[in-house]
Amino acid sequence: MNPGVITEGISLSYNSRLVLGDVSLQLRKGAIVTLLGPNGCGKTTLLKIINGLLRPDSGKVYVDGYDVSRMGQTDMARLMGHVPQTQRSSFPFTALDIVLTGRMPHISALSQPGPRDLEKARQAMDMVGASHLSSRPYTQISGGERQLVMIARALAQEPSFLLLDEPTSYLDFKNQHQVLKMISRIARDQKVTVVMTLHDPNHALMFSDELVLLRKLTEKECGDEQKFKGESNCNHQNVVAAGRPAEVMTPENIFEAYGIEVEFINVRKRLILLPL
Amino acid sequence: MAPERITGRSLLYYLFLSLPLFAFFSSIFIGPFHINPVQLVDLMASKILGYATDYPDVYSTVIFQVRLPRLLLGMMVGASLSVSGAAFQGIFRNPLVSPYILGLSSGAAFGAALSLAFLPGVSIQYAAFFFSLLAVALTYFMATTNRSTPIVSLVLAGVIVSAVFDSLLAVIQIAVSERALQSIVFWIMGSLGTASWSKIYGAFPLFALGCTVMLLLRWRLNVLALGDEEARSVGLNPEKYKIIFIVSASLAASSAVAVAGIIGLVGLVVPHMLRMIFGPDHRTLIPLSLTFGASFLIVVDDFARAGLGFEVPVGVITTLVGAPLFAYLLRTTRSGGWE
C-alpha cells in the first residue's frame, strides 16, 4: 500500500448542518479513485478539501505525505490539478490562453508565461486531444470541449494528482465515455493519480481502480450540530464503503447510500448495475 | 506579448503601441495659434540644447506652457483611466465596468466640492484624491466579509458609497454661493483646460506606480478573470491580487481624476474597443490600453479645445462620443452580461 491521499477524520458543517462527518480514507497513489454517492453526500466538498480550496472544521489531509493545511498555494498547485464542475466564462479568451493559466504555479513572481510554458500548454491540449481548439474562444465552444480545455489546464500544472469534479456532467452519452477513457489513459501514461467524483455507478464500476461510496447524512444525524457534538458515538459517517469496486458495489451498500434496491447483471465479464 | 500567429494583427499591435507619437505630433499643431513643424523642431531643440532663438516669446509660451503640458497631462489621464478600466474589468470579470465602479468618482467630486466651497486652504487636487481613495476603501471594507470580497458585494457596496458621496455633494451644492457652485459643476465635468506642469509633476508618480504594477502583473488578470476558485486551484490567491489591482488601479485613476476632474466613459470604452480588435488577453490589452487611452483622450481633447471655436470640457465630449459607442457595443457583443 502506497497511500497517495490520506484523510483523517475530516468533518465539515455548512450552515450548522453536518455535510461531512469523520471521513477517514486512504487512497492509493497511481490509482483512479472515484467518489460516488447521491446528491448532497459531500463528494464535491471532499474533493475541494483535498485540494485545499475548503478547510475542514476538523481532521487532516495528507497528499503525497504533505499536510495540505501547511502547504503554500503554489506548492499545492504543483502537486494537484483541479477541474471544477462549473464552467464559468466571462471574457472570450482563447482555449490556449485558458490552458496557459495552468502554468501559474511554475511562473515566478513578476514574470509572464514564456515559450516553455506555451509549449507545455500546447502539450497539455494535445494530451486531451483538443489541439484543434487552441485559437477558438472559450465562450464559443461546446460544454464537452470546455471540459477538455479545463482538464488540459489542470494538466498544464504538471500535477501528480488530478482531481476532477464530475467530469461527465454537461456531456452526452458518447462524450462521457470518451472523456472517461481519456482520463484513464492520461492516468496511466502520465502516472497521475486521479480522484474524481461521478454520478453514474456504472461509470464508476467501469473506470475506477478504487471506489469510495458515500451517503448523505440524514437530518437526524446532522441537523443539529449541538446534538451531534454531545452525542459522540452516534453514526455520522458518510463513508459507506471504500476499496476495490467489486467489493464496494454490493446491493446492500448501494441501498445504504442511495436507498434503492438494485441488481447486478454480468454482461461480457462486466458488472452492470440495474435499479429494480 | 504580441500576438504571434497573424502578422497583420501583430503589425496592428505595434501600430497601436506607437499611436501616442502620432497623436502627440498631430495635436501639438492644433490650436488657434499657428506653428509649423520647422518652428516646432527649432523651438524644441533650442529648449533642450539651450541656444537662443529669435522667435517671439509667445511661441515658446504656447508650446511649453499651454500645449505641451495639456497634451502630456491628457495622455497621462487617458492612459490612467484606460489601464485602470481594463484592470477593473478583468477583476470584475465583466467588460461593462469602469474605474468609477467603486465610488472613486463620487468621492473625488465630493472632495473637490468640499475644497472649492469650504476649505480654500486645501488644494482641490489633494481633496479630490483623498476622498476618491477614501470612497474606494469604504467600498472595499463594506464588501469584505470573512476575509473574502465577492464581486457582487463590491458592486453593491460601490453603488451605496457612490450614492452617499453624491448626496453629500448635493448638500454642499445647495449650501454654497452661485459662484462656487459654478466652479464645482465645471470641475465635475472634467477638463484638461487647467493643465500645468505642477499638475503633471503632482500626478505622475502615482500614475507611474499604478500603471507599472498593472503592466508587470497583467497576465495574472487572465488567471483572475476565470473565477476565484479557478484562480486558487492554480496557486493564485484571488483576494491578494484583487487588493493589489484595486489599489494600483485606484491610485492611477485617482491621480487622473484629481488633476482633470471626472472624465467619463474613457476607462470603459477604450479597453472595450481594444478587446474587440485584439481579444481579451490582458498581456496585450493592458499595454494597448495605455497607448490607445493616451492617444484617444488627446485627440478627443483636440475637438474639445479647437473643434467648436470655444472650449468645451473634454469630459462632456468623451461622454457624448462614448455613450453611443457604448450602446453599440452593449447591443452587439455577446459577453455583455454577468458571468
Side-chain angles (χ1 to χ4, degrees), chain B residues 80-112:
Chain B
S80 306
L81 293 177
S82 304
V83 172
S84 62
F88 271 119
Q89 290 166 8
I91 51 177
F92 280 82
R93 293 169 209 132
N94 191 307
L96 305 182
V97 160
S98 87
Y100 303 152
I101 185 123
L102 300 183
L104 190 147
S105 55
S106 300
F110 170 76

PDB file of all heavy atoms in Angstrom, chain B residues 80-112:
ATOM      1  N   SER B  80      -4.143  56.485 -17.678  1.00  0.00           N
ATOM      2  CA  SER B  80      -4.542  56.006 -16.343  1.00  0.00           C
ATOM      3  C   SER B  80      -5.945  55.437 -16.354  1.00  0.00           C
ATOM      4  O   SER B  80      -6.187  54.338 -15.854  1.00  0.00           O
ATOM      5  CB  SER B  80      -4.586  57.140 -15.318  1.00  0.00           C
ATOM      6  OG  SER B  80      -3.416  57.827 -15.277  1.00  0.00           O
ATOM      7  N   LEU B  81      -6.876  56.216 -16.902  1.00  0.00           N
ATOM      8  CA  LEU B  81      -8.275  55.778 -16.866  1.00  0.00           C
ATOM      9  C   LEU B  81      -8.458  54.502 -17.671  1.00  0.00           C
ATOM     10  O   LEU B  81      -9.197  53.601 -17.256  1.00  0.00           O
ATOM     11  CB  LEU B  81      -9.188  56.882 -17.416  1.00  0.00           C
ATOM     12  CG  LEU B  81      -9.261  58.150 -16.561  1.00  0.00           C
ATOM     13  CD1 LEU B  81     -10.144  59.196 -17.240  1.00  0.00           C
ATOM     14  CD2 LEU B  81      -9.812  57.843 -15.163  1.00  0.00           C
ATOM     15  N   SER B  82      -7.780  54.371 -18.805  1.00  0.00           N
ATOM     16  CA  SER B  82      -7.964  53.199 -19.656  1.00  0.00           C
ATOM     17  C   SER B  82      -7.344  51.955 -19.040  1.00  0.00           C
ATOM     18  O   SER B  82      -7.965  50.888 -19.017  1.00  0.00           O
ATOM     19  CB  SER B  82      -7.348  53.440 -21.036  1.00  0.00           C
ATOM     20  OG  SER B  82      -7.899  54.597 -21.595  1.00  0.00           O
ATOM     21  N   VAL B  83      -6.126  52.098 -18.522  1.00  0.00           N
ATOM     22  CA  VAL B  83      -5.468  50.932 -17.917  1.00  0.00           C
ATOM     23  C   VAL B  83      -6.232  50.479 -16.682  1.00  0.00           C
ATOM     24  O   VAL B  83      -6.483  49.287 -16.487  1.00  0.00           O
ATOM     25  CB  VAL B  83      -3.993  51.234 -17.577  1.00  0.00           C
ATOM     26  CG1 VAL B  83      -3.386  50.097 -16.780  1.00  0.00           C
ATOM     27  CG2 VAL B  83      -3.198  51.462 -18.840  1.00  0.00           C
ATOM     28  N   SER B  84      -6.630  51.448 -15.845  1.00  0.00           N
ATOM     29  CA  SER B  84      -7.341  51.011 -14.644  1.00  0.00           C
ATOM     30  C   SER B  84      -8.719  50.470 -15.006  1.00  0.00           C
ATOM     31  O   SER B  84      -9.206  49.538 -14.368  1.00  0.00           O
ATOM     32  CB  SER B  84      -7.410  52.125 -13.595  1.00  0.00           C
ATOM     33  OG  SER B  84      -8.106  53.213 -14.094  1.00  0.00           O
ATOM     34  N   GLY B  85      -9.333  51.025 -16.069  1.00  0.00           N
ATOM     35  CA  GLY B  85     -10.606  50.463 -16.531  1.00  0.00           C
ATOM     36  C   GLY B  85     -10.436  49.017 -16.961  1.00  0.00           C
ATOM     37  O   GLY B  85     -11.228  48.147 -16.588  1.00  0.00           O
ATOM     38  N   ALA B  86      -9.377  48.755 -17.724  1.00  0.00           N
ATOM     39  CA  ALA B  86      -9.125  47.381 -18.190  1.00  0.00           C
ATOM     40  C   ALA B  86      -8.888  46.445 -17.006  1.00  0.00           C
ATOM     41  O   ALA B  86      -9.396  45.321 -16.970  1.00  0.00           O
ATOM     42  CB  ALA B  86      -7.925  47.351 -19.130  1.00  0.00           C
ATOM     43  N   ALA B  87      -8.132  46.935 -16.018  1.00  0.00           N
ATOM     44  CA  ALA B  87      -7.853  46.097 -14.843  1.00  0.00           C
ATOM     45  C   ALA B  87      -9.135  45.831 -14.049  1.00  0.00           C
ATOM     46  O   ALA B  87      -9.402  44.699 -13.638  1.00  0.00           O
ATOM     47  CB  ALA B  87      -6.801  46.757 -13.960  1.00  0.00           C
ATOM     48  N   PHE B  88      -9.943  46.879 -13.842  1.00  0.00           N
ATOM     49  CA  PHE B  88     -11.200  46.692 -13.119  1.00  0.00           C
ATOM     50  C   PHE B  88     -12.106  45.704 -13.856  1.00  0.00           C
ATOM     51  O   PHE B  88     -12.737  44.842 -13.246  1.00  0.00           O
ATOM     52  CB  PHE B  88     -11.940  48.024 -12.935  1.00  0.00           C
ATOM     53  CG  PHE B  88     -11.543  48.753 -11.674  1.00  0.00           C
ATOM     54  CD1 PHE B  88     -10.973  50.023 -11.731  1.00  0.00           C
ATOM     55  CD2 PHE B  88     -11.743  48.184 -10.426  1.00  0.00           C
ATOM     56  CE1 PHE B  88     -10.606  50.698 -10.575  1.00  0.00           C
ATOM     57  CE2 PHE B  88     -11.381  48.854  -9.267  1.00  0.00           C
ATOM     58  CZ  PHE B  88     -10.807  50.113  -9.350  1.00  0.00           C
ATOM     59  N   GLN B  89     -12.156  45.825 -15.174  1.00  0.00           N
ATOM     60  CA  GLN B  89     -12.991  44.894 -15.953  1.00  0.00           C
ATOM     61  C   GLN B  89     -12.491  43.461 -15.789  1.00  0.00           C
ATOM     62  O   GLN B  89     -13.285  42.535 -15.720  1.00  0.00           O
ATOM     63  CB  GLN B  89     -13.001  45.310 -17.424  1.00  0.00           C
ATOM     64  CG  GLN B  89     -13.772  46.600 -17.642  1.00  0.00           C
ATOM     65  CD  GLN B  89     -13.531  47.219 -19.006  1.00  0.00           C
ATOM     66  OE1 GLN B  89     -12.906  46.629 -19.875  1.00  0.00           O
ATOM     67  NE2 GLN B  89     -14.033  48.427 -19.185  1.00  0.00           N
ATOM     68  N   GLY B  90     -11.166  43.314 -15.706  1.00  0.00           N
ATOM     69  CA  GLY B  90     -10.602  41.981 -15.504  1.00  0.00           C
ATOM     70  C   GLY B  90     -10.968  41.404 -14.159  1.00  0.00           C
ATOM     71  O   GLY B  90     -11.431  40.274 -14.069  1.00  0.00           O
ATOM     72  N   ILE B  91     -10.788  42.186 -13.087  1.00  0.00           N
ATOM     73  CA  ILE B  91     -11.079  41.597 -11.779  1.00  0.00           C
ATOM     74  C   ILE B  91     -12.583  41.434 -11.554  1.00  0.00           C
ATOM     75  O   ILE B  91     -12.992  40.547 -10.841  1.00  0.00           O
ATOM     76  CB  ILE B  91     -10.440  42.363 -10.589  1.00  0.00           C
ATOM     77  CG1 ILE B  91     -10.749  43.834 -10.638  1.00  0.00           C
ATOM     78  CG2 ILE B  91      -8.950  42.150 -10.506  1.00  0.00           C
ATOM     79  CD1 ILE B  91     -10.188  44.585  -9.449  1.00  0.00           C
ATOM     80  N   PHE B  92     -13.397  42.269 -12.224  1.00  0.00           N
ATOM     81  CA  PHE B  92     -14.846  42.102 -12.084  1.00  0.00           C
ATOM     82  C   PHE B  92     -15.406  41.090 -13.079  1.00  0.00           C
ATOM     83  O   PHE B  92     -16.590  40.805 -13.082  1.00  0.00           O
ATOM     84  CB  PHE B  92     -15.568  43.437 -12.267  1.00  0.00           C
ATOM     85  CG  PHE B  92     -15.540  44.292 -11.040  1.00  0.00           C
ATOM     86  CD1 PHE B  92     -14.443  45.069 -10.740  1.00  0.00           C
ATOM     87  CD2 PHE B  92     -16.608  44.292 -10.168  1.00  0.00           C
ATOM     88  CE1 PHE B  92     -14.408  45.847  -9.592  1.00  0.00           C
ATOM     89  CE2 PHE B  92     -16.588  45.062  -9.018  1.00  0.00           C
ATOM     90  CZ  PHE B  92     -15.482  45.835  -8.730  1.00  0.00           C
ATOM     91  N   ARG B  93     -14.540  40.572 -13.928  1.00  0.00           N
ATOM     92  CA  ARG B  93     -14.931  39.611 -14.955  1.00  0.00           C
ATOM     93  C   ARG B  93     -16.082  40.137 -15.785  1.00  0.00           C
ATOM     94  O   ARG B  93     -17.003  39.413 -16.156  1.00  0.00           O
ATOM     95  CB  ARG B  93     -15.385  38.291 -14.311  1.00  0.00           C
ATOM     96  CG  ARG B  93     -14.261  37.601 -13.638  1.00  0.00           C
ATOM     97  CD  ARG B  93     -14.724  36.459 -12.776  1.00  0.00           C
ATOM     98  NE  ARG B  93     -13.779  36.312 -11.705  1.00  0.00           N
ATOM     99  CZ  ARG B  93     -14.119  36.198 -10.442  1.00  0.00           C
ATOM    100  NH1 ARG B  93     -15.370  36.154 -10.080  1.00  0.00           N
ATOM    101  NH2 ARG B  93     -13.200  36.111  -9.519  1.00  0.00           N
ATOM    102  N   ASN B  94     -16.075  41.405 -16.017  1.00  0.00           N
ATOM    103  CA  ASN B  94     -17.178  41.999 -16.744  1.00  0.00           C
ATOM    104  C   ASN B  94     -16.669  43.160 -17.565  1.00  0.00           C
ATOM    105  O   ASN B  94     -15.989  44.035 -17.046  1.00  0.00           O
ATOM    106  CB  ASN B  94     -18.228  42.479 -15.742  1.00  0.00           C
ATOM    107  CG  ASN B  94     -19.514  42.861 -16.411  1.00  0.00           C
ATOM    108  OD1 ASN B  94     -19.525  43.667 -17.335  1.00  0.00           O
ATOM    109  ND2 ASN B  94     -20.594  42.272 -15.981  1.00  0.00           N
ATOM    110  N   PRO B  95     -16.979  43.153 -18.862  1.00  0.00           N
ATOM    111  CA  PRO B  95     -16.448  44.216 -19.708  1.00  0.00           C
ATOM    112  C   PRO B  95     -17.194  45.541 -19.565  1.00  0.00           C
ATOM    113  O   PRO B  95     -16.792  46.527 -20.168  1.00  0.00           O
ATOM    114  CB  PRO B  95     -16.611  43.638 -21.117  1.00  0.00           C
ATOM    115  CG  PRO B  95     -17.691  42.644 -21.011  1.00  0.00           C
ATOM    116  CD  PRO B  95     -17.717  42.136 -19.607  1.00  0.00           C
ATOM    117  N   LEU B  96     -18.256  45.559 -18.772  1.00  0.00           N
ATOM    118  CA  LEU B  96     -19.052  46.786 -18.676  1.00  0.00           C
ATOM    119  C   LEU B  96     -18.800  47.532 -17.372  1.00  0.00           C
ATOM    120  O   LEU B  96     -19.688  48.152 -16.812  1.00  0.00           O
ATOM    121  CB  LEU B  96     -20.539  46.458 -18.831  1.00  0.00           C
ATOM    122  CG  LEU B  96     -20.879  45.694 -20.107  1.00  0.00           C
ATOM    123  CD1 LEU B  96     -22.363  45.446 -20.206  1.00  0.00           C
ATOM    124  CD2 LEU B  96     -20.393  46.448 -21.328  1.00  0.00           C
ATOM    125  N   VAL B  97     -17.568  47.479 -16.916  1.00  0.00           N
ATOM    126  CA  VAL B  97     -17.221  48.106 -15.654  1.00  0.00           C
ATOM    127  C   VAL B  97     -16.257  49.259 -15.938  1.00  0.00           C
ATOM    128  O   VAL B  97     -15.466  49.198 -16.863  1.00  0.00           O
ATOM    129  CB  VAL B  97     -16.556  47.046 -14.733  1.00  0.00           C
ATOM    130  CG1 VAL B  97     -15.745  47.667 -13.644  1.00  0.00           C
ATOM    131  CG2 VAL B  97     -17.612  46.116 -14.157  1.00  0.00           C
ATOM    132  N   SER B  98     -16.356  50.334 -15.156  1.00  0.00           N
ATOM    133  CA  SER B  98     -15.443  51.460 -15.356  1.00  0.00           C
ATOM    134  C   SER B  98     -14.619  51.657 -14.090  1.00  0.00           C
ATOM    135  O   SER B  98     -14.916  51.070 -13.052  1.00  0.00           O
ATOM    136  CB  SER B  98     -16.239  52.722 -15.679  1.00  0.00           C
ATOM    137  OG  SER B  98     -16.619  53.369 -14.496  1.00  0.00           O
ATOM    138  N   PRO B  99     -13.568  52.491 -14.149  1.00  0.00           N
ATOM    139  CA  PRO B  99     -12.772  52.714 -12.933  1.00  0.00           C
ATOM    140  C   PRO B  99     -13.603  53.366 -11.818  1.00  0.00           C
ATOM    141  O   PRO B  99     -13.171  53.424 -10.676  1.00  0.00           O
ATOM    142  CB  PRO B  99     -11.666  53.671 -13.389  1.00  0.00           C
ATOM    143  CG  PRO B  99     -11.672  53.641 -14.855  1.00  0.00           C
ATOM    144  CD  PRO B  99     -13.015  53.206 -15.302  1.00  0.00           C
ATOM    145  N   TYR B 100     -14.780  53.860 -12.164  1.00  0.00           N
ATOM    146  CA  TYR B 100     -15.583  54.583 -11.173  1.00  0.00           C
ATOM    147  C   TYR B 100     -16.540  53.668 -10.416  1.00  0.00           C
ATOM    148  O   TYR B 100     -17.313  54.120  -9.587  1.00  0.00           O
ATOM    149  CB  TYR B 100     -16.380  55.695 -11.866  1.00  0.00           C
ATOM    150  CG  TYR B 100     -15.498  56.684 -12.622  1.00  0.00           C
ATOM    151  CD1 TYR B 100     -15.992  57.361 -13.729  1.00  0.00           C
ATOM    152  CD2 TYR B 100     -14.198  56.946 -12.217  1.00  0.00           C
ATOM    153  CE1 TYR B 100     -15.202  58.275 -14.421  1.00  0.00           C
ATOM    154  CE2 TYR B 100     -13.402  57.847 -12.902  1.00  0.00           C
ATOM    155  CZ  TYR B 100     -13.903  58.507 -14.003  1.00  0.00           C
ATOM    156  OH  TYR B 100     -13.120  59.407 -14.674  1.00  0.00           O
ATOM    157  N   ILE B 101     -16.489  52.354 -10.690  1.00  0.00           N
ATOM    158  CA  ILE B 101     -17.477  51.430 -10.125  1.00  0.00           C
ATOM    159  C   ILE B 101     -17.412  51.344  -8.601  1.00  0.00           C
ATOM    160  O   ILE B 101     -18.411  51.048  -7.946  1.00  0.00           O
ATOM    161  CB  ILE B 101     -17.325  50.021 -10.741  1.00  0.00           C
ATOM    162  CG1 ILE B 101     -18.410  49.063 -10.261  1.00  0.00           C
ATOM    163  CG2 ILE B 101     -15.976  49.404 -10.414  1.00  0.00           C
ATOM    164  CD1 ILE B 101     -19.197  48.460 -11.346  1.00  0.00           C
ATOM    165  N   LEU B 102     -16.253  51.621  -8.028  1.00  0.00           N
ATOM    166  CA  LEU B 102     -16.135  51.505  -6.572  1.00  0.00           C
ATOM    167  C   LEU B 102     -16.346  52.841  -5.855  1.00  0.00           C
ATOM    168  O   LEU B 102     -15.999  52.974  -4.684  1.00  0.00           O
ATOM    169  CB  LEU B 102     -14.774  50.906  -6.193  1.00  0.00           C
ATOM    170  CG  LEU B 102     -14.487  49.508  -6.751  1.00  0.00           C
ATOM    171  CD1 LEU B 102     -13.153  48.993  -6.266  1.00  0.00           C
ATOM    172  CD2 LEU B 102     -15.587  48.529  -6.368  1.00  0.00           C
ATOM    173  N   GLY B 103     -16.903  53.815  -6.553  1.00  0.00           N
ATOM    174  CA  GLY B 103     -17.222  55.081  -5.900  1.00  0.00           C
ATOM    175  C   GLY B 103     -16.139  56.134  -6.011  1.00  0.00           C
ATOM    176  O   GLY B 103     -16.245  57.212  -5.412  1.00  0.00           O
ATOM    177  N   LEU B 104     -15.110  55.821  -6.792  1.00  0.00           N
ATOM    178  CA  LEU B 104     -13.958  56.720  -6.911  1.00  0.00           C
ATOM    179  C   LEU B 104     -14.354  58.122  -7.394  1.00  0.00           C
ATOM    180  O   LEU B 104     -13.925  59.131  -6.835  1.00  0.00           O
ATOM    181  CB  LEU B 104     -12.966  56.071  -7.881  1.00  0.00           C
ATOM    182  CG  LEU B 104     -11.558  56.633  -8.043  1.00  0.00           C
ATOM    183  CD1 LEU B 104     -10.592  55.484  -8.328  1.00  0.00           C
ATOM    184  CD2 LEU B 104     -11.484  57.631  -9.174  1.00  0.00           C
ATOM    185  N   SER B 105     -15.222  58.179  -8.410  1.00  0.00           N
ATOM    186  CA  SER B 105     -15.567  59.477  -8.984  1.00  0.00           C
ATOM    187  C   SER B 105     -16.456  60.283  -8.036  1.00  0.00           C
ATOM    188  O   SER B 105     -16.293  61.496  -7.899  1.00  0.00           O
ATOM    189  CB  SER B 105     -16.262  59.286 -10.328  1.00  0.00           C
ATOM    190  OG  SER B 105     -17.375  58.446 -10.180  1.00  0.00           O
ATOM    191  N   SER B 106     -17.393  59.616  -7.368  1.00  0.00           N
ATOM    192  CA  SER B 106     -18.267  60.327  -6.437  1.00  0.00           C
ATOM    193  C   SER B 106     -17.468  60.891  -5.269  1.00  0.00           C
ATOM    194  O   SER B 106     -17.695  62.024  -4.828  1.00  0.00           O
ATOM    195  CB  SER B 106     -19.355  59.400  -5.902  1.00  0.00           C
ATOM    196  OG  SER B 106     -20.123  58.916  -6.965  1.00  0.00           O
ATOM    197  N   GLY B 107     -16.510  60.090  -4.790  1.00  0.00           N
ATOM    198  CA  GLY B 107     -15.651  60.558  -3.715  1.00  0.00           C
ATOM    199  C   GLY B 107     -14.839  61.766  -4.158  1.00  0.00           C
ATOM    200  O   GLY B 107     -14.722  62.756  -3.430  1.00  0.00           O
ATOM    201  N   ALA B 108     -14.284  61.674  -5.386  1.00  0.00           N
ATOM    202  CA  ALA B 108     -13.482  62.780  -5.893  1.00  0.00           C
ATOM    203  C   ALA B 108     -14.314  64.047  -6.034  1.00  0.00           C
ATOM    204  O   ALA B 108     -13.873  65.150  -5.657  1.00  0.00           O
ATOM    205  CB  ALA B 108     -12.880  62.394  -7.246  1.00  0.00           C
ATOM    206  N   ALA B 109     -15.520  63.919  -6.570  1.00  0.00           N
ATOM    207  CA  ALA B 109     -16.384  65.084  -6.761  1.00  0.00           C
ATOM    208  C   ALA B 109     -16.701  65.734  -5.424  1.00  0.00           C
ATOM    209  O   ALA B 109     -16.652  66.970  -5.275  1.00  0.00           O
ATOM    210  CB  ALA B 109     -17.673  64.662  -7.468  1.00  0.00           C
ATOM    211  N   PHE B 110     -16.985  64.898  -4.433  1.00  0.00           N
ATOM    212  CA  PHE B 110     -17.272  65.439  -3.105  1.00  0.00           C
ATOM    213  C   PHE B 110     -16.053  66.167  -2.542  1.00  0.00           C
ATOM    214  O   PHE B 110     -16.156  67.283  -2.022  1.00  0.00           O
ATOM    215  CB  PHE B 110     -17.709  64.314  -2.162  1.00  0.00           C
ATOM    216  CG  PHE B 110     -17.789  64.755  -0.728  1.00  0.00           C
ATOM    217  CD1 PHE B 110     -18.845  65.527  -0.275  1.00  0.00           C
ATOM    218  CD2 PHE B 110     -16.782  64.404   0.182  1.00  0.00           C
ATOM    219  CE1 PHE B 110     -18.908  65.945   1.037  1.00  0.00           C
ATOM    220  CE2 PHE B 110     -16.840  64.816   1.500  1.00  0.00           C
ATOM    221  CZ  PHE B 110     -17.903  65.592   1.930  1.00  0.00           C
ATOM    222  N   GLY B 111     -14.882  65.538  -2.671  1.00  0.00           N
ATOM    223  CA  GLY B 111     -13.656  66.147  -2.156  1.00  0.00           C
ATOM    224  C   GLY B 111     -13.368  67.481  -2.818  1.00  0.00           C
ATOM    225  O   GLY B 111     -13.043  68.472  -2.149  1.00  0.00           O
ATOM    226  N   ALA B 112     -13.503  67.511  -4.149  1.00  0.00           N
ATOM    227  CA  ALA B 112     -13.251  68.752  -4.874  1.00  0.00           C
ATOM    228  C   ALA B 112     -14.230  69.835  -4.441  1.00  0.00           C
ATOM    229  O   ALA B 112     -13.851  70.994  -4.215  1.00  0.00           O
ATOM    230  CB  ALA B 112     -13.364  68.510  -6.373  1.00  0.00           C
TER     231      ALA B 112
END
